[in-house]
Amino acid sequence: MKPTQNRRDFLRKLGVTPAALPFLTGLPSLGYGSACGRRQRLVIMFSPNGTIPSKYWPEGEGGDFKLSEILEPLQPWKSHVLQLKGIHNKIKGDGDRHMRGMSCLLTGTELFPGNVQGGSDTPAGWAKGISIDQEIKNFLQNDPKTRTRFGSLEFGVGVSDRADPWTRMSYAGPNQPVAPTDDPYQMYRKLYGQFREREDILSILDEVHQDLKSLSGKLAKEDRELLGNHMQLVREMEKEFEAGKGQATKGPALQEGVDNQNDNLPQLSRMQVDLLVNSFTHDFARVATLQYTKSVGQARMGWLNIQESHHTLSHKPDKDLDAFQWLTQINTWFAGELAYLVQRLAETPDPHGEGNLLDNTLILWGNELGKGNSHTLDNIPFTLVGSAPGIRTGQALDLKGEAHNRLLLSLAHAFGHNLQTFGNPQLSEHGPLDLS
Amino acid sequence: MKCLSPYLGLALFFSPLSTQAAENLENGKNVWDKQCAQCHGPMGQGVKEAYKDPLTGDWPIHKLASYIDKNMPEEKPGDCVCKDAQDVAHYMFGAFYSPEAWLRINPPRTTPSHLTSRQIEESLSDVLANLRGGLVQVPKERGLQGTYFNDRNFNTGKITIERVDPSIRFDYGENAPEEGKLGQDAFSVRWQGSLLAEETGWYEISLHSENGCRLWLNEEDDKKLIDGWVASGIMAEHSARIRLLAGRLYPIRIDYFNFKGKTASIHLLWTPPHGTKQIIPERNLVPNRYRATFVPTTPFPPDDTSGGYPRGTLVSRKWSEAAAFAALEAADYVIENLRRFVPGKPEDKDYTEKARKFCETAATLAFRHPLAPEQQEKYIQAPFSSFPAPADAVKRSLLLTFSSPSFLYPNLLDTPTDHYSVASRLSLALNDSLPDKGILGLADRKLLDNPKILQEQARRMLGNESAKTKLQDFFYHWLDLHNTVQLAKDKETYPGFDAAVVADLRTSLQDFIRHIAWETEEADFRQLLQADYFYANQRLAGYYLPGSEFKGNPTAFEPIPLDPGQRAGLLTHPYLLAQFAYARTSSPIHRGVFLTRKVLGRRLQPPPEAVEFEEDKFPGHLTLREKIEKLTSPKNCQGCHSIINPLGFTLENFDAVGRYRKTLGDKAIDTQAPYTTETGKTLVISSAKDIAGLAISSPSAQKAFVKQLFQYYTKQPIEAFGSEAYSKLHQSFVDNKFNLRELIVAAAVLYAQMPDLPQKP
């Protein structure tokens, strides 16, 4: 469907001026996060099928490094970037590498044996443990000072409507995958549904009232009572909905009628990012995941003039220069979406406390594989952006083969959740990585 | 102030007035005229500058009297006390205060009303169904179409078996579904068809399996209701809730596979409204696949039933909000499925025009009338000129249409009665919904002033599934079975009478009514009161006929004879008998009141004072009947209980769960009692069959049934159609040998031909 016009236009047509729709921020009516302490937030972004290492990893190490081609969109935010090479997903056991890459990425633990067969290895089921985003969410929700309306929000972009170990990285516990929502309208309804519906209804109440009045005028006197009551109630509803508008939390203006399909991924991505940022502004949640497609994702990025689908391309050998170039472009596009998120966070003042949202948000961008055509789980392309206690950005590190469980532990520690191990205990040995 | 009552309470209304009583009434009238009429008006109609509201209500006489005694006249309480207060209360009650008196001096007229909640839901669902090609008839075939694949991926090249499975309850253990045809460790099965809902409400759907499974219900896109694709060989239960409207078919698909699981099994279950969790039975599965249906989920407040039947004569805040939100739900559903409702692409040249036409059709259907020019302007043109994007215009147009009084108030049309109003009323009466294409075509051709054509159409529309669910709902209403959620019995006294038996009883009653009304030529109402069989599945048969052998499909319901000679159709259906009973004992009073009011159509006043029956306060050697006779022996109880008790006692052969019994404790049950009919004749009655005989032979009982059915179907008081029409309707029922279907047709046709409300001159 052709994108049409945004919600503000829609409302204006209904005679409601945008001025009457202030984008109020941080009202305590729905988000009920605490009024004290810094609001610390976490976003985990995922894109699939490995990267092109030579175009991804930076030149140089430590503070003196140069962003590579794929990370070029993050150039304006270089001082907020921490690139982490040398982190391996060392989970073994059932499931092919895409499955383990995905379902173990945030859980750091093995998969159950099961009935889902990949292209190789043994069939598998769901992950055996909770994922780090849900672990941190629970930690924050357990404390009234950091508790929010939703705790965490799981955004998706073009995930596809399948539930299997390739499509789920978030787990509430063993065998409990958490589905991301990849329809922005559905997410909008979840976040602001009652307001949208009330607005829609408010937009017609005056006409309903007119109709009732004109119908009533045609009736004999003794038959008018019912319509009279109805008219009065319509006016009451109108007053209440109108009054509620001023206090209501508003969502961002979304384009109407964007179908949830491949060609619309660029728009869908921006809509989801806008919703994510808005949900932070209103303190609906402190933790969010943003999942682009799924492991083995087959996005066809026609908007980059690439007609072949992503996973198929990722299997091509390095010497296929076209594929090499296209995969670089694809990964650069994901970096661009990350940059958009970073920019939106940076330009949005934190309604609570100091600075902007980026000052109080840590983003981890990850992938289920290190490299597509080798299906390696080594050197997962991890990049951190933003800030959190104990994490120094503006540098590039090579950790030379540490288990990714230690990175997950670092995230927990950055939120004050000082776990000893996470996921597989052996792989958690030596605790969190030193990222300061 | 304490006064002694010279009255015998309600006996007044059932026996000729004594001279004393006549004198008292005379005094009451004098007191009224002197002391009360000034403020309340001569007939209690109210006086503008004084007490302006009409004086009518449901207080019993003694309460009225005591209120007057203490508080009246307002400026000088104490001027009307004791006997005067009692006399005036009696006079008022009979002259205008009681609901009956009020009805007598203010004969009802047809009243403005909006659609009932059921009518809104059915209409919204049907508008959208009609916009996609119309409703479907429920076919005869049952079960789901199963396709079995000899691989785990539903590979069409590996189809091994195709067959219809009656229900999904398969336990393959360590084997494959068909030994030798499918591999045990890698096979897949797809079941497709439709689900037939028999009740409106929320259903819980469950799949139980240790293997992979998915389920789609009422969905044409890929949105799954249940996704249990990933499995680790551990038995799992996947459940989801969905709301369904009764009498409709919903597309269903289940994909199931085993891959390297040691064992394999799959079960498809549901918990329907009023039901318990069970395998979805064969009767609710159909092998053909139909389109998805819009089902509104907005909860509505209950309809006004103060007149004795649900109708749309109340608007509350909750109702007006629900109506608006349901309209929005319908509009949103269309937008979500826009490509199905308006095929093509927004950028197509003629797309806007197609969308505009679509909205016009929607409004025409919803308003049950071609659009007037100003409606055309308001509901179609205006949205399309304000919104350049077709999707926005469609949403706006539909939201306006479905919230419009032209949709919500069908009997307040802008135009005088015409052929379309006739079509609209006929459809509302029969189907609680909008006119279908067939009858709209006849309205276009202005043929609906022909009673013969109307009758033909009514008979045709009776074939719709919604006509069947409406009759079912009428009987629940008539039999006071609308609120049966709590039906439970003492577990020690009635072991085995659990929620599953209760749910089965409901189905049993439903099937019995369905059989008589729709499956027999005669559709004879008398059969409903006289049949001596009931419908049972294996569980019910086991409970009510222990030791009997149930042949046939254990989950299917079949007619089986029950206590030959003892049963009288609905009157002795265990669902009803259990409803009108306590947890441990039967309740002759509840049963008697039900029989008096509903079955024999006699009026009862509310009891002058509420008396609780506390069985253990009576000497233990008395039978239940003796205790009740003692309790209701005071003269001011006897006015009503002389009728209620004998009727109730005839059913004493049935215990609190409706099983037949001859003795209670060590005593034989005496069901015989004298009963005085409304014409003053005294008969001896002793069984349910006697009551069925009375109900069938008494013209006033027949008339009462006709009235209740008419009012339930049309939502209008029958008195408003004149006593002649009422008598004619009754006579036609008798002439047609009590044919229920013909009674419904006649009632609907009578209603369809009524004039619209008077317009302002």
Side-chain angles (χ1 to χ4, degrees), chain A residues 5 113 161 196 207 211 230, chain B residues 222 224 232 378-379 396:
Chain A
Q5 55 183 167
D161 193 26
R196 181 200 71 107
E207 303 197 41
D211 280 356
H230 195 175
Chain B
D222 196 30
K224 298 161 198 82
S232 293
K378 175 164 189 173
Y379 295 98
R396 170 91 179 152

Side-chain angles (χ1 to χ4, degrees), chain A residues 336-350:
Chain A
E337 296 312 291
L338 171 58
Y340 177 71
L341 167 64
V342 173
Q343 180 205 320
R344 291 284 288 109
L345 290 170
E347 70 193 17
T348 309
D350 191 328

Side-chain angles (χ1 to χ4, degrees), chain B residues 159-369:
Chain B
I159 294 176
T160 314
I161 304 164
E162 284 180 282
R163 68 177 188 214
V164 172
D165 288 316
S167 55
I168 303 191
R169 50 181 328 161
F170 295 109
D171 211 334
Y172 306 119
E174 295 184 5
N175 304 315
E178 291 275 325
E179 215 55 58
K181 288 193 183 163
L182 298 174
Q184 188 277 333
D185 71 342
F187 67 88
S188 49
V189 189
R190 172 167 295 154
W191 285 283
Q192 294 191 92
S194 298
L195 188 72
L196 173 64
E198 290 183 82
E199 305 261 5
T200 292
W202 287 92
Y203 288 71
E204 186 166 273
I205 310 287
S206 310
L207 279 175
H208 292 197
S209 179
E210 68 271 49
N211 317 112
C213 52
R214 285 184 179 135
L215 179 142
W216 294 257
L217 181 56
N218 198 22
E219 175 62 45
E220 289 167 73
D221 291 323
D222 196 30
K223 226 185 278 162
K224 298 161 198 82
L225 186 67
I226 291 175
D227 196 335
W229 201 240
V230 181
S232 293
I234 297 154
M235 182 55 72
E237 180 181 332
H238 311 276
S239 297
R241 269 157 54 87
I242 187 168
R243 190 166 193 272
L244 303 174
L245 296 176
R248 290 170 195 263
L249 290 161
Y250 303 90
I252 188 169
R253 173 179 146 200
I254 294 132
D255 279 4
Y256 164 72
F257 83 106
N258 180 28
F259 181 57
K260 297 198 174 172
K262 267 198 192 114
T263 60
S265 74
I266 176 127
H267 291 83
L268 171 64
L269 300 93
W270 70 358
T271 311
H274 308 286
T276 51
K277 191 167 187 174
Q278 56 176 306
I279 297 284
I280 300 184
E282 187 176 5
R283 63 193 271 154
N284 299 102
L285 299 171
V286 173
N288 307 349
R289 205 177 145 77
Y290 298 94
R291 272 193 297 264
T293 297
F294 167 65
V295 177
T297 58
T298 307
F300 278 85
D303 289 313
D304 176 15
T305 49
S306 61
Y309 51 94
R311 56 186 175 150
T313 43
L314 266 186
V315 288
S316 60
R317 175 59 194 273
K318 215 174 153 201
W319 180 83
S320 45
E321 269 195 37
F325 278 91
L328 179 62
E329 245 190 304
D332 277 343
Y333 181 86
V334 171
I335 297 304
E336 270 168 40
N337 295 280
L338 196 57
R339 68 199 155 84
R340 296 202 172 87
F341 287 99
V342 187
K345 289 185 174 157
E347 47 273 26
D348 293 350
K349 231 188 190 168
D350 60 342
Y351 189 81
T352 305
E353 182 51 26
K354 270 204 241 167
R356 211 188 54 76
K357 265 259 164 292
F358 167 80
C359 290
E360 199 177 316
T361 313
T364 309
L365 285 169
F367 298 168
R368 312 159 194 88
H369 213 277

